Each structure stands twice: as structure tokens, then as C-alpha cells.
Amino acid sequence: MAKKKTIRTIPQERATVREQDPRERIGNFAEVTYRFGVKDALHEADRCLLCPDPVCVAGCPVSIDIPRFIAKISEKDYRGAYDVITDTNLLPAVCGRVCPQESQCEGPCVVGETLAPVAIGRLERFVGDIAIEEGWTNIPYIEPNGYKVGIVGSGPAGMACAADMAKAGCDVIIYEAFHLPGGVLRYGIPDFRLPNEVIDAEIGKLKSLGVKFECNTLVGRLFTIEQMITEMDFDAVFIGTGAGYPSFLGVPGDSLNGVLSANELLTRCNMMRAKDRDYDTPLPHGARVAVIGAGNTAMDAMRVCRRLGAQEVHCIYRRTRTEAPARVEEVHHAEEEGIEFHWLTAPIEILDDGKGGVRGMRCLRMELGEPDNSGRRRPVPVPGSEFEFEADLIVVAIGTNANPIIGQTSKLKLNKRGYIETDENLAASLIGVYAGGDIVTGAATVIEAMGAGRKAARSMKAYLGLRDTDAVYRSDATPLAKLFGIDVAERNFARVRAA
Ligand code: FAD
């Protein structure tokens, strides 16, 4: 029997991962962080204590069986590891790259109490990338059930819901406003953090489940949610339209040329070839850029501006580094790329260059006061601290709101902030309509949106009277089991009977 691992017997050092040199990477959009090699993955897998009551699983919004997939890596059974992850998570190559593991699965890791926590995210990416290279998918036998399900929005929430409904046998169509699917994964997160090929590969899995994508389709303008149910024969609809409507500062000069939202900058760069030097794009390229905000969106916007050729990129944030919402790794990468941080600084006016453009901002120095509703200490202006900050492009990344179109064009109940109201099962106020992800919670994370998509799928299946088949679809289902045309729980039972 294998000896039980203890904190003393496991490798003490966390495996390091190779990264592109900051001096080189500011000149390209290629991925910054490389994948673990096999040796590093095995080293890191060996650091997992395989806790019988794993707190890391509780930290994962979709409850991946983390010790089990890591144990499979240790056995060099990478396919087995992939099967374990995809029991609950459709997109391991995405989540392994962008999940805030430090506050989710790795945060409570027992190893982390004494040493650096196990690099769960990097191990998940290792498996997800091998799966893409090898072309692995877990396509179950699907028996069509005659139900037609419409999904509005192709972000992580919509994709997760679509996958589960397709596996249950529904005919699933995803409507997407943009010309390409993926939601924020595509339009927001730049290639150097999440390459398009990874998104394409993961979307390919949905297509092989039979999910159809209809892009360039703005629901609420071409047809309404009510019409989907009453005229288009959808038996159930899921809304996962995200929270992509940008906020601006609300200060004088907000509408000058040279002020743009981070979402606009990133969308133009990621989806509209603004980073492609052979294309004449309308994206202004600043020489001295100021980005307002310190979340993941701000970090992405700053690092994109750097790569687009800005000589100086400055982060302006009214609190301190401790309160910055971005992932620690993102702030670190931004610093390595020469971004300058100005903590405790708030703009109060955008200054006109006399030709309708921007010449800078008037700012105030701040200090931290008592905690506010978010639990973070509130920034308070320092009297008499006003100063001017020079910039020729100002990018606003201070948060986003619900896109209003669905709310304006349907009778769905919204909350005070314009997000869709649902019950605890993610049912919205119209019968047969469900919602989840950022359009319900406000801006959150990829994995939380996926968790919501899956939860809504469970409710939709209950509503349609379908058995919940999302449990386990193993690639090793035998032809005999497939012959039964039934879900996996029964398939396993069938195998026992057949044995
Ligand atoms: P979205 O991903 O926003 O997808 C919604 C989709 O619906 C979009 O494609 C939109 O075009 C479409 N849509 C909207 N309205 C309509 C309509 N009327 N008709 C048809 N389609 C419509 N989270 C992390 O976990 N890690 C990160 O590193 C991270 N980085 C981020 C970086 C940026 C720049 C941004 C903006 C967010 C980041 N997030 C990150 C947050 C995360 O991406 C979101 O929480 C998540 O994508 C929400 O998923 P969703 O499916 O609810 O919505």
C-alpha cells in the first residue's frame, strides 16, 4: 500500500512555470505563461496530500473532484484526469488559465497553510491543453427528446447551460450578438492570457454535442424573449447576456475624444483587428495612457495598450494595492511589463486639449477611511491635494452594468440595478425562462458563470420533466452500454446486468 503523504514528505517547493520574458512579450500578443511540462506536472501532483475531506473542492464553484484528478495525473493517466475534470467543468483549458484560483480552490489548500499551495490551476490547464492537443472529448450517447431550448449569450454561463441541455437530448440554439461566440472569453480577455485557439477548441466541443450557434443575433432587437417562447417554439430559454455595459466616470470631460471604455478597447483589439498592423483600425493609440481602475479588466486594458505601442501606461486607482480587485498574478505581470501604478488617486475632471481631444486629468489624492458596504476601506479625498496628470488616452475600467436591451424589450422582472431577478433555482419571472451568470449576479468570474449555467440547466430539466443526466458521462462507455440509449447511471447499471 502506498505510504500516506504528509506535509513533510511531499516536495516542499512549488513547481515554477516558464513565462515569456517581459521585455519581449510587450511587443507581441502571444501567451505569457507556458504550460507545465510533464516533469513539473508530476512534481506538483506529488505535492497534493489527497485529503479525504478536501477543502479545495469546496472552494471550487463547480466542485471539481480535485484530489481525484490530481491522483490521475500522478498515475500519468491524463485522460482519466480529463474525465474527472469534465464531469463538472466543460472548459478546463479556459478555467486553468483564468480562474482566480488563489481565492477559490488554492485559497483553502491545506498544503498552503505551511508551504505554497498546490498549483491546482496550472495542473488543470496541463490536462486541458493535452486534451485539446489529443482531440479528446466526452461525447455521450444522446437520445433526442424533442425539446427545443434557446440560449441567449454565448459566454461561459450560456455555454455551460447549453452543454448540459444538449447532453440531456434537447435541440439547443445559442444566439450571440457578436460575430463570434465566447462572451468575455473572446471579446474581453486578450490572447496573451487566453488564446483564441483555446476558446475555439472548447467551443468545438459544444458543436460536437450538437449545439448550434447563431451569431450576429441581438435578442431584444431581432426578436424578444417572449417571442422565443410564443412564436419560435422554444420550450425553455436561458439568458446569459453578461454585464458588458460600461460605466463612465461621470466627471466633466467624460465624453471627449480619447476617452474610451476598457470594454471597447478590448473588443476592438480582440475581435476587430485593432492589434493587426496591416489593418486600418479606428482605435486611437495613445503615447501616454491612463487607465482608471485596478480590476482584471484594467490590467488587461493596460497590458494591451503597452503592446499596441504606448510609451507609458499608468494605472490610476482610488484605493491601494491591497484593495485592488485584480488577480495578484495580473498585477504582478502588469508591473513586470512596466505599468506604473498610482494608488490612492482619483480623477475628478478630464482635461480638453482645445481640439476636442484629451490632454490629461485633474486628480485628487485619497486616503483610506472606514470600510464601506464592500468591506473595503472607503477612499476619502485629501483636502487641497488636487493635481494635473498628463495623458493623451484615457481608458475607463471602473466596472460594468447589465446590458439594458433584454430588460427594455421584455416583461422580465429586474432588480433596482437592472439585473434579471431569479428565484434560488435561477427561474426568471416568465414561465420557462431562466437566467444566470453576470446578468443575474453582476460582474463575477468565469467559473461562477459556468456554475450558474449548470444550475439553471438542472432547473430547466426539472421544468421540462427530464431526468438529470448531467452527473457523469465517461468516455469509456462500452458499445453495449451505448446500445441501451440511456443515461450513465443506468448505463453503469446496465453494465452490471450485462456482466
Ligand atoms: P459574458 O461572458 O459577458 O457573455 C455574455 C454574452 O452575451 C456576450 O457574448 C454578449 O455579446 C452576449 N449578449 C449580450 N446581450 C445579448 C443579446 N441581447 N442578444 C444576444 N447576445 C447577447 N473572470 C475570471 O474568472 N478570470 C479572469 O481572469 C477574468 N478576466 C476578465 C477580464 C475582462 C476584460 C472582463 C470584462 C471580465 C473578466 N472576468 C474574469 C469576468 C468573467 O469573464 C465574467 O464573469 C464571465 O465571462 C461572465 O460570463 P457570462 O456568461 O455571464 O457573460
Side-chain angles (χ1 to χ4, degrees):
M1 209 173 90
K3 237 172 126 193
K4 194 172 176 302
K5 295 198 248 181
T6 69
I7 198 78
R8 288 179 188 210
T9 61
I10 60 170
Q12 305 287 290
E13 297 289 326
R14 182 169 157 131
T16 48
V17 72
R18 275 189 328 115
E19 288 178 351
Q20 229 199 121
D21 187 308
R23 282 164 306 186
E24 271 170 36
R25 71 184 192 229
I26 56 170
N28 67 58
F29 278 81
E31 198 165 7
V32 167
T33 311
Y34 297 110
R35 183 230 285 177
F36 266 159
V38 170
K39 202 165 138 240
D40 290 329
L42 292 174
H43 167 98
E44 202 51 35
D46 201 20
R47 297 182 71 240
C48 178
L49 294 171
L50 306 175
C51 305
D53 188 11
V55 277
C56 52
V57 177
C60 170
V62 296
S63 308
I64 296 174
D65 190 341
I66 294 166
R68 201 152 72 87
F69 100 73
I70 293 184
K72 295 276 181 198
I73 294 179
S74 291
E75 293 161 19
K76 300 191 185 160
D77 177 5
Y78 308 132
R79 173 74 215 222
Y82 175 72
D83 289 344
V84 172
I85 298 174
T86 51
D87 278 351
T88 51
N89 180 9
L90 178 73
L91 312 172
V94 169
C95 294
R97 283 173 167 82
V98 303
C99 270
Q101 290 104 6
E102 63 278 3
S103 58
Q104 291 179 342
C105 53
E106 293 177 18
C109 171
V110 173
V111 174
E113 288 169 15
T114 320
L115 309 167
V118 177
I120 301 167
R122 300 212 191 291
L123 290 173
E124 185 184 19
R125 171 182 168 183
F126 170 78
V127 174
D129 282 3
I130 295 182
I132 291 176
E133 273 163 30
E134 298 291 328
W136 293 336
T137 47
N138 277 341
I139 309 298
Y141 170 84
I142 297 175
E143 186 136 312
N145 58 28
Y147 286 117
K148 189 172 152 191
V149 169
I151 310 270
V152 186
S154 67
M159 286 200 269
C161 184
D164 282 353
M165 296 314 284
K167 285 178 184 170
C170 301
D171 177 14
V172 181
I173 304 179
I174 300 188
Y175 293 109
E176 167 56 50
F178 274 125
H179 57 287
L180 289 170
V184 170
L185 306 180
R186 176 87 66 182
Y187 79 75
I189 303 180
D191 264 20
F192 54 80
R193 282 214 292 136
L194 179 61
N196 273 332
E197 307 84 72
V198 173
I199 306 168
D200 290 340
E202 304 283 41
I203 285 171
K205 289 187 206 161
L206 280 183
K207 290 186 178 161
S208 50
L209 284 171
V211 173
K212 296 186 252 324
F213 287 85
E214 294 206 7
C215 291
N216 294 313
T217 308
L218 183 61
V219 177
R221 287 284 179 263
L222 290 178
F223 47 83
T224 63
I225 299 291
E226 280 88 340
Q227 279 175 308
M228 289 177 76
I229 299 280
T230 56
E231 295 171 27
M232 294 166 72
D233 295 332
F234 284 102
D235 298 293
V237 169
F238 173 76
I239 306 173
T241 45
Y245 193 70
S247 301
F248 282 89
L249 292 164
V251 301
D254 231 4
S255 55
L256 286 168
N257 289 332
V259 181
L260 70 160
S261 73
N263 270 17
E264 179 178 348
L265 173 105
L266 293 168
T267 305
R268 287 191 189 189
C269 188
N270 294 343
M271 294 181 84
M272 296 169 188
R273 297 189 182 270
K275 63 174 184 278
D276 199 331
R277 298 203 194 281
D278 297 336
Y279 279 74
D280 196 11
T281 84
L283 187 62
H285 289 202
R288 187 176 150 99
V289 181
V291 176
I292 322 295
N296 284 325
T297 308
M299 299 303 138
D300 285 342
M302 292 187 285
R303 298 174 68 198
V304 158
C305 289
R306 195 87 177 102
R307 284 161 175 77
L308 289 175
Q311 280 144 28
E312 289 177 36
V313 184
H314 300 264
C315 175
I316 311 290
Y317 185 53
R318 60 195 185 133
R319 302 182 207 242
T320 71
R321 187 191 180 112
T322 315
E323 292 82 26
R327 292 186 63 196
V328 176
E329 183 180 74
E330 299 312 319
V331 179
H332 170 67
H333 280 153
E335 279 172 336
E336 282 185 335
E337 292 171 13
I339 310 296
E340 291 176 48
F341 287 83
H342 305 264
W343 308 113
L344 294 168
T345 304
I348 49 169
E349 184 183 353
I350 314 274
L351 303 171
D352 195 332
D353 67 358
K355 294 177 255 164
V358 164
R359 73 171 171 85
M361 303 178 293
R362 199 181 307 285
C363 296
L364 279 180
R365 303 249 182 250
M366 312 297 272
E367 59 191 5
L368 291 182
E370 292 303 308
D372 63 14
N373 293 342
S374 71
R376 296 175 303 169
R377 291 178 65 193
R378 188 191 302 275
V380 184
V382 175
S385 63
E386 226 175 278
F387 69 103
E388 279 194 13
F389 190 97
E390 226 180 273
D392 56 3
L393 180 67
I394 293 173
V395 181
V396 184
I398 55 168
T400 49
N401 300 300
N403 188 316
I405 293 176
I406 298 276
Q408 285 163 355
T409 55
S410 76
K411 293 204 168 66
L412 281 167
K413 223 164 147 186
L414 309 178
N415 70 17
K416 276 200 290 242
R417 294 168 56 224
Y419 292 98
I420 297 178
E421 268 197 26
T422 65
D423 66 13
E424 68 280 11
N425 300 314
L426 300 183
S429 56
L430 296 172
I431 294 196
V433 179
Y434 295 77
D438 284 6
I439 189 58
V440 171
T441 56
T445 64
V446 171
I447 195 81
E448 283 169 304
M450 287 177 62
R454 299 206 71 199
K455 183 173 180 186
R458 275 194 292 280
S459 306
M460 289 161 88
K461 283 186 246 178
Y463 166 72
L464 296 172
L466 299 169
R467 212 139 26 100
D468 191 7
T469 52
D470 69 10
V472 192
Y473 282 104
R474 306 302 297 261
S475 56
D476 56 358
T478 63
L480 181 63
K482 283 184 185 171
L483 209 72
F484 285 87
I486 40 184
D487 68 57
V488 81
E490 283 196 21
R491 268 195 234 168
N492 289 341
F493 179 52
R495 254 188 264 172
V496 173
R497 274 187 307 189

